[in-house]
Amino acid sequence: MIEIRELRKIYQMGEVQVQALRGVSLKIEPGEFVAIMGPSGSGKSTLLQILGLLDVPSSGSFRLFGQEVSKFREEELADLRAQSIGFIFQQFNLLARTTAYENVSLPLLYSSHHAEPERAKRLLGEVGLLDRILHKPNELSGGQQQRVAIARALINDPPIILADEPTGNLDSESEKEILKILKELNAQGKTVIIVTHEKEIGDHARRVIRMRDGTIQSDERFKPEYSPAPAAARNEAPQKKSKGFLSSLNPLETAQHFRQAFRALLANKVRSGLSLLGILIGVASLIAMLALGEGAKASIEAQLSSLGTNLLSLRPGSRRSQGVALESGAVTRLTMEDAKEILAGVPEVSRVSSSVDGRVQVTFGGQNWNTRVEGTSPTYAEMRAAQPVIGRFFNEEENKQRARVALLGQTVVQNLFGGASPLGEYIKINRVSFQVIGVLPEKGASTWRDQDDVIVIPVTTAMHRLLGKDYVDSIDIEVRSPDAMEGAEKAIQNLVVKRRRLPPSLQEEAFQIRNLAELQSALSETSRTMSVLLASIAAISLLVGGIGIMNIMLVSVTERTREIGLRKAVGAKRSDILAQFLIEAGVVSLIGGLLGITLGWTATWAMSRFAGWTAEVSPDAVLLAIGFSAAVGILFGLWPARKASRLHPIEALRYE
Ligand code: ADP
């Protein structure tokens, strides 16, 4: 059944080579009970680990069931290990925080062996632990833990049982029990090979192999008339039932993997919580930042359209040049006359609207409000997209007669009237009584001021009855088409300069013509820059979140190296380990992602509700966030998982 020839194992420790096995040859028949004894360091464990397919020899031949297994690939070894070998360790190697029942059932996860449903329970009963099925390792004595480990070794009904100092950590009472179980197993036809120091165990074996310095010193059979154990000992190789990666995707096993992943996550709540937090913050900030950017863009666009199109705005020059101009005696203030002349004298111009503005105190009933008043021409409504939502705009007649009529912005309505309709009411602006004839449409808060905190009245009324000005502050000019803007700008400049007979040195600076179309494009450029900026901040926070996850995954894998070793020792393949860690990472990032989306959404809502910022969560952002959290989970989970899955079982088990 087992046949090894000239087996050597060399451990490389930095510069030094340790020869643990120096050419060992051995044959073991089915049904034997073999004890391997010898001083510490003589290579017993190394030999047993190679026999158990947990490690590979450096050279030599190893035939198991007639197959040369030293040439097997890792996946084939895992299959063979799961089906034909039950390994019992000195340190028991049970999964902590997992019940006895689950520990015993663990190998079933990785084998195609179809055990009867209650096999784990029956085996626990056979080792005398029926009343401890739901106990966890830390609730069991050493002897009980080792009996759980024996039940686990038997779950796949393997023909060979290997035990490495199984009683090394136990009291003599437990030692007897374990020995009794092993003898019974041998009586049932299993081949038992046990590494031990205990002379007593050696006495029970039918064959004792003594080792020293990596070689076999003696090999004695105490019952020379060796007879196979009563029950038919098996010598045939278990059928190869190789499971490809695809078959490990079947629903039942996937469900098992998910259960394992959840259990592992729950077993380490703090760590799982921290990696979850990383994803959560990353995704939430992505959603919130993109929503802010989106909202800012939308509000800037709304403001741009409220500015009107093809508009030029004519204002007096800067203060400095104004000062100079005043000294030279030239008048650089704009008047209603200028507006009329521009409309009449420049053919490209379709409409003009003069305006003045100032701060005023408004009262209605007991309410008092300080706001901006803007005197405009009747054309303002159409040029600036300010058609009243209730009531009407004033007309040319009212403007001429300096009528005391007013249109209120939404903010003013809110502050003076609350929910009531202001139409027809009389308000006092700087103690002058005005009748409200309309309410202006909502324009939203701009970045610099609340555009709805305004009262619009006829420009002549504003100049003569309210602000005491005989000039206007600016003239808005609408040009017929975008192409005509440049020509119109020049013509207006000429006209104004000519009317005032300004000296050439002052012509440039006396007036400013602002092209609102240019302002618009500058604003949309700004909003684009802002979106990009916000998105990059979000991207950075995501990256940091991702690195956090990778860090935690790496720590988790390192911390659980022994667990991985054990899983591989009981038959898990690379793909199984990979699947488990990927599912864990996936679950963390999925939950983190979903919570992040919720938090991001809430934060966005809070920002627009309490800070008054416009913010919109777009479906794109949500999709991006979902995609991101999935990608982070897979990418950052894959690397540590791959690292873990590539370890040799015994390397992983030795890991401290
Ligand atoms: P035993 O089980 O008889 O005590 P081992 O098989 O554990 O002996 O060890 C045999 C020799 O190999 C010892 O000299 C030991 O120091 C060395 N050895 C065992 N495992 C390793 C390892 N992972 N790396 C380096 N040397 C090792």
Side-chain angles (χ1 to χ4, degrees), residues 31 33 119 122-123 126 154 157-159 161 180-192 206 228-234:
F33 191 117
R119 183 170 166 82
R122 186 166 63 76
L123 285 172
E126 278 175 23
L154 294 173
D157 195 21
I161 300 289
K180 190 165 145 258
I181 295 172
L182 289 176
K183 280 174 76 174
E184 270 168 21
L185 289 173
N186 182 241
Q188 289 164 17
K190 302 223 181 277
T191 309
V192 176
R206 299 201 199 133
R234 284 196 275 152

Side-chain angles (χ1 to χ4, degrees), residues 289-330:
M289 298 273 184
L290 288 183
L292 260 187
E294 202 54 37
K297 216 164 87 189
S299 90
I300 286 180
E301 266 159 21
Q303 281 168 36
L304 290 182
S305 67
S306 77
L307 279 179
T309 43
N310 301 342
L311 282 189
L312 293 174
S313 169
L314 177 64
R315 289 166 182 277
S318 66
R319 182 166 299 177
R320 188 184 60 81
S321 63
Q322 210 172 356
V324 174
L326 282 174
E327 268 172 28
S328 69

Side-chain angles (χ1 to χ4, degrees), residues 11 13 18-20 38-47 164 195 654:
Y11 292 110
M13 294 184 58
V18 180
Q19 293 217 21
S40 174
S42 55
K44 308 179 296 287
S45 301
T46 306
L47 178 61
D164 190 355
V195 163
R654 274 198 209 114

